[in-house]
C-alpha cells in the first residue's frame, strides 16, 4: 500500500525538507502546496530544491508520481460572477501547472470550485469553459477532487465530475482525486469500498482515479460539512479506512492523509503505522 501525507514546504530546505518530513513518518508519498494555499505569492522553482528532493525520493524507491501537488484553493474555476476571480483562476492555474512541470511532479490536485450565487449546472459549465482555457503539458495530470458539497461546491457526485471531464478538450490530461472525508460527507456509504469503486468505475472509469485522500470525518454521512478527523477518531472509522488502504483495486494509487494535527503535533507517523499493521489504538493518538 502506498501511504503518504500532507507535508510542509518551508525555508530553508523547501521540497527537500518536505520529502525528509514524509520519510520521517514512514510515508511512501507526500503532498505539498507550492506556497500558501490562500495567496498567490510563490518562490521561483529554482529555489525549491526540487532536484535534491527528487534525488532523495529516488534513493528511497519513490518516483516523482509520489510527490503530489495541491493547487491553492483561491483557484475557483466555477466562479462566473466576478470576471477578475475567473481571470485569476485561469492565469494562476496555468502558472501552477507550469510549476508542477518544472518540479517534475505528475499530479496536481484541484478543487473544481464553488458556483457561489449561480447554480450547479452553471458552475459545471463554467468549470469546463475555464479549464478549456488552460494548457496542460503531457507530463502533468490534473486530478479534480471529489468535494463534500458544502456551500455551493461543485463535484460532490461522481456524475458531476464525469460531466466536467466529458467537456474538456484535453480530457486525457485530467482525472480524479477521491477524498474519503468529502464523499462520506457528500452522502456516499464507504462501508463497502468496492461498491464505491464500482460506482466510480461506471460513472468516471477507475483508470481516471489517480490520488486518494484518506481522511476520517468529524461528521455523519451526508452532512455536507468537510471537517477531517484523525484516522479512527471519526464517523468513518478505522476498519473502513483500513479496508480502503488495503483494497487491491487501488493498490498502485497513493493514499494521502490530510488529518488534523493533535496538540500541534503531526499524527501521520502513528496513523501510517496503524494503517500498515491494521491495528487501531486510540491511545497512540494522544500526542
Ligand atoms: Fe483538497
Ligand atoms: Fe482532500
Ligand atoms: Zn477537506
Amino acid at each position: 500500500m502506498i501511504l503518504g501525507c500532507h507535508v510542509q514546504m518551508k525555508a530553508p530546505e523547501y521540497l527537500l525538507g518536505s520529502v525528509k518530513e514524509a520519510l520521517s513518518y514512514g510515508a511512501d508519498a507526500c503532498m505539498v502546496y507550492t506556497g500558501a494555499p490562500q495567496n498567490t505569492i510563490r518562490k521561483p522553482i529554482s529555489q525549491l530544491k526540487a532536484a535534491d528532493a527528487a534525488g532523495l525520493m529516488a534513493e528511497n524507491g519513490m518516483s516523482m508520481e509520489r510527490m503530489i501537488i495541491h493547487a491553492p484553493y483561491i483557484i475557483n474555476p466555477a466562479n462566473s460572477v466576478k470576471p477578475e476571480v475567473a481571470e485569476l483562476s485561469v492565469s494562476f492555474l496555468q502558472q501552477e501547472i507550469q510549476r508542477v512541470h518544472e518540479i517534475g511532479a505528475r499530479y496536481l490536485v484541484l478543487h473544481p470550485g464553488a458556483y457561489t450565487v449561480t447554480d450547479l449546472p452553471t458552475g459545471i459549465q463554467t468549470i469546463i469553459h475555464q479549464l478549456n482555457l488552460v494548457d496542460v503539458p503531457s507530463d502533468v495530470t490534473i486530478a479534480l477532487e471529489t468535494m463534500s458539497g458544502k456551500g455551493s461546491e461543485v463535484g460532490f457526485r461522481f456524475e458531476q465530475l464525469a460531466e466536467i471531464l466529458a467537456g474538456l478538450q484535453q480530457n486525457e490530461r485530467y482525472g480524479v482525486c477521491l477524498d474519503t472525508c468529502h464523499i462520506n460527507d457528500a452522502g456516499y456509504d464507504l462501508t463497502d469500498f468496492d461498491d464505491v469503486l464500482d460506482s466510480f468505475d461506471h460513472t468516471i472509469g477507475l483508470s481516471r482515479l489517480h490520488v486518494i485522500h484518506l481522511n476520517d470525518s468529524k461528521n455523519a454521512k451526508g452532512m455536507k460539512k468537510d471537517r477531517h478527523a484523525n484516522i479512527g477518531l471519526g464517523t468513518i472509522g478505522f476498519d473502513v479506512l483500513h479496508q480502503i488502504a488495503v483494497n487491491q483495486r487501488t493498490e498502485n494509487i497513493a493514499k494521502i492523509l490530510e488529518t488534523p494535527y493533535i496538540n500541534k503535533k503531526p499524527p501521520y507517523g502513528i496513523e501510517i503505522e496503524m494503517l500498515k499493521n491494521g491495528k487501531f489504538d486510540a491511545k497512540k493518538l494522544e500526542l
Side-chain angles (χ1 to χ4, degrees):
M1 89 183 79
I2 305 167
L3 280 180
C5 59
H6 172 243
V7 288
Q8 293 182 296
M9 195 205 56
K10 56 182 202 294
E13 291 203 298
Y14 297 104
L15 291 169
L16 178 60
S18 308
V19 175
K20 286 182 180 172
E21 186 188 343
L23 291 170
S24 79
Y25 304 137
D28 329 287
C30 62
M31 186 176 76
V32 295
Y33 287 92
T34 64
Q38 66 280 7
N39 69 42
T40 56
I41 304 162
R42 292 294 180 267
K43 286 246 181 312
I45 294 299
S46 57
Q47 292 180 25
L48 298 186
K49 299 193 185 290
D52 294 338
L56 183 57
M57 286 182 66
E59 275 173 37
N60 287 278
M62 289 185 265
S63 77
M64 283 298 278
E65 297 200 356
R66 307 275 189 92
M67 179 186 280
I68 288 140
I69 312 288
H70 197 308
Y73 32 79
I74 43 153
I75 297 176
N76 181 6
N79 191 317
S80 58
V81 181
K82 292 187 177 163
E84 67 279 11
V85 176
E87 164 72 22
L88 175 87
S89 287
V90 172
S91 64
F92 198 70
L93 177 57
Q94 188 67 68
Q95 292 169 38
E96 188 75 0
I97 291 166
Q98 181 61 24
R99 275 188 285 273
V100 173
H101 169 77
E102 283 176 36
I103 288 170
R106 165 89 187 268
Y107 297 115
L108 176 65
V109 173
L110 175 69
H111 292 184
Y115 59 77
T116 66
V117 296
T118 62
D119 52 41
L120 184 61
T122 308
I124 289 175
Q125 290 314 309
T126 306
I127 293 164
I128 293 170
H129 173 80
Q130 299 275 77
L131 294 182
N132 277 333
L133 297 173
V134 169
D135 183 46
V136 187
S138 58
D139 57 355
V140 173
T141 300
I142 296 183
L144 299 173
E145 185 165 348
T146 59
M147 303 310 287
S148 69
K150 73 169 185 294
S152 62
E153 274 176 356
V154 182
F156 58 90
R157 297 290 312 171
F158 298 156
E159 291 79 3
Q160 296 163 12
L161 294 172
E163 192 179 341
I164 295 166
L165 291 171
L168 298 175
Q169 281 144 23
Q170 291 183 305
N171 184 291
E172 75 292 348
R173 298 191 182 164
Y174 287 82
V176 172
C177 165
L178 185 150
D179 187 311
T180 56
C181 167
H182 295 176
I183 68 167
N184 169 78
D185 290 19
Y188 285 90
D189 184 354
L190 286 159
T191 332
D192 186 346
F193 192 53
D194 276 311
D195 282 350
V196 175
L197 290 178
D198 286 344
S199 140
F200 188 99
D201 199 27
H202 292 143
T203 46
I204 299 172
L206 213 46
S207 64
R208 311 301 288 269
L209 181 58
H210 299 305
V211 183
I212 290 177
H213 285 169
L214 196 65
N215 303 306
D216 214 326
S217 173
K218 290 195 171 153
N219 291 99
K221 179 163 70 82
M223 294 290 280
K224 297 198 168 172
K225 290 284 194 194
D226 187 6
R227 287 185 66 218
H228 302 187
N230 290 99
I231 302 296
L233 299 184
T235 62
I236 301 173
F238 183 82
D239 291 345
V240 170
L241 291 164
H242 178 253
Q243 253 198 60
I244 296 171
V246 298
N247 188 291
Q248 288 292 312
R249 292 156 82 189
T250 60
E251 73 177 331
N252 297 318
I253 298 173
K255 295 161 195 89
I256 304 290
L257 303 167
E258 302 174 293
T259 49
Y261 274 37
I262 299 170
N263 292 324
K264 296 184 178 157
K265 292 184 203 107
Y268 308 122
I270 290 155
E271 290 177 328
I272 287 171
E273 184 210 300
M274 293 196 301
L275 286 164
K276 292 227 160 170
N277 66 31
K279 284 197 197 80
F280 179 64
D281 182 355
K283 277 201 194 72
K284 288 190 175 165
L285 286 171
E286 287 168 12
L287 303 178

